[in-house]
């Protein structure tokens, strides 16, 4: 990752994947040269997943890639809902303790995040599909779940 500038745009899972990646790269040591600038630049917002927004972002990023022929861009698919008692904005909590897939293998041949899959189709933006594999966890947040597998998939794609 030397001389690389990864940017994670997304929800809390994106933030945790970033934290996991930094921990993997630095061996868990704190680094002064790794800075989260999302609040400073006002880019920490509550990210809706409307189809047009996803397509617009992917299309814009794809249009910029001709300027950077060696740049690799991945769009991470959404995780399955993991809230109990409602969604994130209606009183739900994310302290589920039962995996969505118990004792099952993930054998999907296409993404169950159809919006993300259709947005990247025909572009140079690659899909980092974590939706199905995320069903095997009880809860997605770093204090209880481990997002390292997502980074291992990312490294394999790179």
């Amino acid at each position: 990752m030397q001389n690389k500038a990864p940017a994670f745009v997304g929800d809390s899972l994106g933030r945790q994947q970033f934290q996991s990646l930094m921990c993997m790269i630095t061996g868990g040591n704190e680094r002064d040269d790794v800075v989260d600038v999302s609040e400073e630049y006002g880019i920490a917002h509550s990210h809706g997943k409307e189809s047009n927004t996803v397509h617009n972002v992917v299309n814009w990023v794809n249009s910029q890639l001709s300027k950077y022929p060696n740049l690799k861009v991945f769009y991470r698919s959404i995780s399955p809902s993991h809230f109990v008692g409602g969604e994130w904005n209606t009183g739900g909590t994310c302290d589920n303790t039962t995996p969505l897939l118990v004792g099952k293998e993930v054998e999907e041949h296409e993404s169950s995040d159809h919006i993300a899959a259709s947005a990247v189709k025909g572009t140079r933006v690659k899909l980092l599909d974590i939706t199905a594999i995320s069903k095997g966890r009880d809860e997605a947040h770093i204090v209880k779940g481990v997002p390292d597998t997502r980074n291992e998939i990312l490294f394999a794609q790179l």
Side-chain angles (χ1 to χ4, degrees):
M1 294 299 295
Q2 188 174 4
N3 299 319
K4 304 288 188 238
F8 287 83
V9 178
D11 55 11
S12 62
L13 298 183
R15 182 186 68 245
Q16 292 159 2
Q17 185 174 353
F18 171 77
Q19 292 168 335
S20 165
L21 180 64
M22 291 301 102
C23 187
M24 293 170 93
I25 291 170
T26 65
N29 297 319
E30 205 167 303
R31 299 269 309 257
D32 292 334
D33 59 339
V34 176
V35 181
D36 179 354
V37 296
S38 59
E39 288 188 30
E40 178 182 345
Y41 289 98
I43 54 176
H45 297 285
S46 297
H47 297 283
K49 186 155 169 47
E50 299 173 15
S51 178
N52 287 342
T53 302
V54 172
H55 281 266
N56 289 343
V57 168
V58 169
N59 287 334
W60 180 83
V61 168
N62 189 60
S63 74
Q64 302 301 304
L65 291 178
S66 62
K67 300 174 189 174
Y68 310 96
N70 295 324
L71 185 66
K72 293 185 180 185
V73 177
F74 297 89
Y75 183 90
R76 180 185 49 85
S77 65
I78 194 167
S79 69
S81 179
H82 56 282
F83 295 97
V84 177
E87 288 299 313
W88 68 271
N89 58 348
T90 60
T93 60
C94 54
D95 55 2
N96 182 29
T97 58
T98 305
L100 300 173
L101 290 175
V102 178
K104 296 182 181 177
E105 291 183 28
V106 175
E107 293 186 16
E108 293 190 13
H109 299 288
E110 61 183 55
S111 179
S112 55
D113 186 342
H114 301 291
I115 293 173
S118 67
V120 301
K121 188 174 184 176
T123 71
R124 282 188 44 211
V125 178
K126 297 179 190 250
L127 181 64
L128 183 63
D129 192 356
I130 58 94
T131 304
I133 198 168
S134 296
K135 292 179 182 177
R137 54 87 170 112
D138 57 353
E139 191 283 321
H141 293 107
I142 202 163
V143 295
K144 297 178 185 172
V146 182
D148 293 351
T149 300
R150 295 179 187 126
N151 284 319
E152 291 172 5
I153 293 170
L154 178 62
F155 284 137
Q157 294 269 345
L158 290 172

